[in-house]
Amino acid sequence: MVLKTYVQNGSEFHIRLMARNAVGLAIDWAVREGWNPGLEDLDAFYATDPNGWFATETEDGQVIACTSAIAYDDTFGFMGLYIVDPAYRKAGHGMILANFSRDYLGKRNIGIDGVVEMQSHYKQWGFQMAYNNIRYKSIGGGKVLDSTQPYDTSLFGAVSAYDQRFFPTPRRTFLKAWLSQPKACCRVVLDGEKIVGGYGMIRPCHAGFKIGPLFADNAEIAEVLFCTLSAQVPGEPVFLDVPEPNKAAMSLAKRYSMEKVFETARMYTQEMPDIELQGVFGVTSFELG
């Protein structure tokens, strides 16, 4: 479906809504950029907002740019997977697609994890710096600790309620798909049916495994969850995306000799959402927040 047509340097281009069978291209390009998305992330991404996936094409149907603009609800959205084919960069196509995506999200507060080389552009587009997220890497191993237990679907309501403390808006549709990823492992700290401590998930990625989210009431619980999740993948690379203002999370990464490998800026178009950032020991994903 063509949503917008424009002319640039004498050639006609079209912005289209990407169908489910075409969205995989955005993941493939993210892999090429070195962003290392999860192997099964796409189903959760697409289910959250099927109408928020856009691509710019040439007249003959070649995709030259793509992005996601996910509307979680009427108040909050998140933009990610913003990529322009290298052959078409610095020609204005990215700006046109970004403005179109922002218009789709309307008056919502929009979040983004901006890579270093694009942060100046995002500021020009109205995004304001909130804080840095740091990606750390270690090697999996260790043992599963008895104070955590596996997640199952009977716990979804409790997990979803707990998750709302650490994310700007409820995200039940996203979580339902995210927590059911094949080959992922989710562990929770429970008291009966009520989550009182935290939860975390580790999933396979194109390189190694990522822990995300990792939400906990305190550093001790976060460490228990981190160790238990790392124990699922002995000898494999493990990545954890840590909000820099959370000093306890930064200390956890240093305590396990994790190596800094990547960095983004969490930015918003409006005020930073009122979330319990000190409980965010691992970001869910850079693509959807």
Side-chain angles (χ1 to χ4, degrees):
M1 177 191 302
V2 175
L3 303 174
K4 178 183 176 71
T5 297
Y6 66 92
V7 175
Q8 193 83 330
N9 297 324
S11 297
E12 191 171 89
F13 298 87
H14 308 287
I15 296 177
R16 292 182 180 270
L17 178 67
M18 299 179 76
R20 171 63 180 82
N21 60 1
V23 170
L25 175 67
I27 301 295
D28 292 341
W29 281 14
V31 174
R32 185 181 68 187
E33 293 292 319
W35 299 348
N36 194 25
L39 295 178
E40 304 291 342
D41 286 358
L42 185 53
D43 284 342
F45 288 176
Y46 188 77
T48 305
D49 183 4
N51 296 313
W53 297 84
F54 307 112
T56 302
E57 295 180 353
T58 61
E59 287 187 89
D60 60 2
Q62 177 189 351
V63 176
I64 64 166
C66 64
T67 193
S68 60
I70 303 304
Y72 277 99
D73 62 9
D74 292 338
T75 65
F76 185 71
F78 203 91
M79 290 177 61
L81 295 166
Y82 171 71
I83 308 171
V84 179
D85 186 282
Y88 288 86
R89 291 176 184 175
K90 299 183 179 180
H93 299 289
M95 173 70 81
I96 293 170
L97 183 60
N99 286 336
F100 181 89
S101 302
R102 281 205 55 181
D103 288 344
Y104 167 73
L105 291 174
K107 296 181 179 179
R108 295 173 177 86
N109 189 12
I110 306 169
I112 196 168
D113 271 307
V115 296
V116 172
E117 60 270 22
M118 287 298 296
Q119 288 168 18
S120 61
H121 293 279
Y122 296 139
K123 289 178 182 177
Q124 294 174 11
W125 301 345
F127 287 90
Q128 306 167 39
M129 178 75 177
Y131 54 85
N132 287 337
N133 285 316
I134 311 296
R135 175 164 294 169
Y136 287 101
K137 175 184 177 182
S138 63
I139 301 298
K143 64 180 181 179
V144 174
L145 302 179
D146 293 338
S147 52
T148 73
Q149 61 189 77
Y151 166 82
D152 65 65
T153 54
S154 69
L155 300 171
F156 178 74
V159 169
S160 179
Y162 185 79
D163 184 86
Q164 291 180 33
R165 292 168 50 185
F166 311 102
F167 197 76
T169 192
R171 50 176 181 171
R172 291 176 62 89
T173 299
F174 168 79
L175 280 180
K176 189 167 290 186
W178 188 258
L179 297 175
S180 63
Q181 285 193 38
K183 300 181 181 179
C185 174
C186 182
R187 305 287 296 197
V188 296
V189 175
L190 295 174
D191 178 9
E193 296 183 356
K194 181 181 178 183
I195 294 182
V196 296
Y199 85 100
M201 190 179 101
I202 189 168
R203 71 194 195 281
C205 296
H206 287 264
F209 293 76
K210 283 185 191 172
I211 295 176
L214 179 57
F215 298 158
D217 285 353
N218 56 55
E220 291 75 18
I221 292 172
E223 185 167 4
V224 166
L225 286 164
F226 173 80
C227 291
T228 298
L229 294 170
S230 294
Q232 310 297 319
V233 291
E236 296 288 340
V238 172
F239 300 91
L240 180 69
D241 298 333
V242 177
E244 193 172 32
N246 187 340
K247 301 307 180 185
M250 296 287 287
S251 295
L252 174 65
K254 292 176 182 178
R255 190 155 56 249
Y256 286 87
S257 300
M258 301 188 81
E259 172 192 3
K260 178 180 175 180
V261 294
F262 192 57
E263 180 177 346
T264 69
R266 175 59 59 89
M267 308 175 81
Y268 297 100
T269 53
Q270 300 173 26
E271 292 183 357
M272 179 176 164
D274 183 18
I275 63 171
E276 298 181 30
L277 191 60
Q278 296 309 309
V280 179
F281 288 80
V283 177
T284 306
S285 85
F286 284 163
E287 292 78 20
L288 261 70

